[in-house]
Amino acid sequence: MKHILQHLSEGKSLSFEQINSASESLFSKEITDSEIAAFLIGLKMKGETAEEIAGITAALRARSLKFSREIPNVMDNCGTGGDGVKSFNISTTSAFVIAGAGIPVAKHGNRSISSKTGSSDVLEHIGINLTASPEKTEEILEKVGIAFLFAPHVHPQLRRIMKVRNDLRIPTIFNLIGPLTNPVELEAQLLGIYRRDMVVLFAEVLKKLGRKRAIVINGAGYMDEASLQGENYLAIVENGMITEKILHPEEFGLSIFSNDSIRGGDAKENAHILLRVLRGEKGPYRETVLLNAGIGIFTAGKANSIQKGIKLAKESIDSGSALDKLQELITESQKNQRKVM
């Protein structure tokens, strides 16, 4: 670690192998909290490269709970948080819509970061078991078509690193890489990030991690989701190439709403919003989900355009398929007959 810290202090970037080895050493009992902090600050001050982020991610995934089954065409849609918009749980609601369109979703998530309520908080309130074993999670994913992976549960060895990160009280790479560390082998991924300057960088990381198709998005108002407020900036990974794109909701016949119109609340309120959307209620919450789920469906290759992805998202909601996925997940994760109220 001393050699790595010296490299970083000199502003030198590390290879995938170097950063992967250094990241593995973060789990050692011999390493001090000061060394972990110096490592995170050194990377931040130098500026992380795609190689370094991929190397850290590989090390973290190697230490996660093991998911052994190869389930085809699985995707995740997860944001980094940190945008400060305090929106409702957009990607969580969208995940059920994507699953309702026939795409397997391994949804990775955590407690609240930038919104009042994180994905785990709202799903736990609805009645979904967050601590199923990898075997049970894989069984649910195969049977239902959607499963939830609670980050602290699937990454139990990260507690010490997370404590140091929180003690630093400044953002580091660990505030951004959560969506990259899903331990399930994903073919496609929709990743939202609040840092517009890192959209292409994270697309390069997803490419290095082997995603067949991926989109990294920074929404209008610098949301870590697609926004109805205005222009959204995307980087699309496909066939080994990265393409940048600007999209506006009006291109798809969606209304313009400010980000203030999609604010959320506590777990109870956000669960209520999620259910209202899945039951077909019209308004800014629904249209925000249609845009994000449509992009997700396109990312997975189920639709050959975002416009068609939005059409499939509408069908998923209006047919009741998205709500059915939620109810099935509650039932299978709890193994009882609790009903959505």
Side-chain angles (χ1 to χ4, degrees), residues 75-76 180 186-191 202-207 210-217 234-243 295-296 298-301:
M75 77 167 294
D76 187 12
L180 300 173
L186 304 173
E187 290 200 11
Q189 185 162 3
L190 172 59
L191 189 158
F202 268 63
E204 291 172 353
V205 173
L206 290 174
K207 179 181 169 183
R211 303 291 186 267
K212 291 182 179 178
R213 288 173 59 92
I215 290 180
V216 182
I217 188 163
L234 284 69
I236 303 169
V237 181
E238 187 174 21
N239 299 324
M241 303 291 291
I242 297 174
T243 305
I295 295 170
F298 169 70
T299 304

Side-chain angles (χ1 to χ4, degrees), residues 152-209:
H153 177 63
V154 297
H155 302 290
Q157 297 189 40
L158 274 179
R159 291 188 181 94
R160 185 182 174 203
I161 298 173
M162 292 300 100
K163 178 186 179 300
V164 173
R165 187 202 77 171
N166 293 335
D167 288 346
L168 284 173
R169 297 182 181 275
I170 61 171
T172 69
I173 193 59
F174 276 84
N175 293 80
L176 293 170
I177 63 173
L180 300 173
T181 61
N182 191 322
V184 173
E185 290 298 329
L186 304 173
E187 290 200 11
Q189 185 162 3
L190 172 59
L191 189 158
I193 186 168
Y194 72 95
R195 292 270 305 269
R196 186 158 295 197
D197 61 313
M198 298 187 83
V199 168
V200 173
L201 175 64
F202 268 63
E204 291 172 353
V205 173
L206 290 174
K207 179 181 169 183
K208 289 180 182 297
L209 293 174

Side-chain angles (χ1 to χ4, degrees), residues 5-24:
L5 294 178
Q6 182 66 38
H7 252 63
L8 294 176
S9 69
E10 295 170 359
K12 296 178 181 177
S13 294
L14 305 172
S15 68
F16 179 95
E17 291 74 19
Q18 286 175 314
I19 197 76
N20 186 259
S21 177
S23 300
E24 281 285 347

Side-chain angles (χ1 to χ4, degrees), residues 62-103:
R63 293 276 182 160
S64 67
L65 297 183
K66 301 305 177 189
F67 291 77
S68 58
R69 300 186 196 183
E70 292 187 7
I71 301 171
N73 305 317
V74 179
M75 77 167 294
D76 187 12
N77 68 318
C78 184
T80 60
D83 60 19
V85 174
K86 301 189 182 304
S87 60
F88 77 107
N89 299 94
I90 298 169
S91 65
T92 304
T93 309
S94 299
F96 292 104
V97 180
I98 294 168
I103 299 160

Side-chain angles (χ1 to χ4, degrees), residues 128-141:
I128 292 169
N129 175 20
L130 302 180
T131 58
S133 68
E135 294 77 16
K136 178 62 177 176
T137 301
E138 289 173 323
E139 178 186 322
I140 291 171
L141 185 55

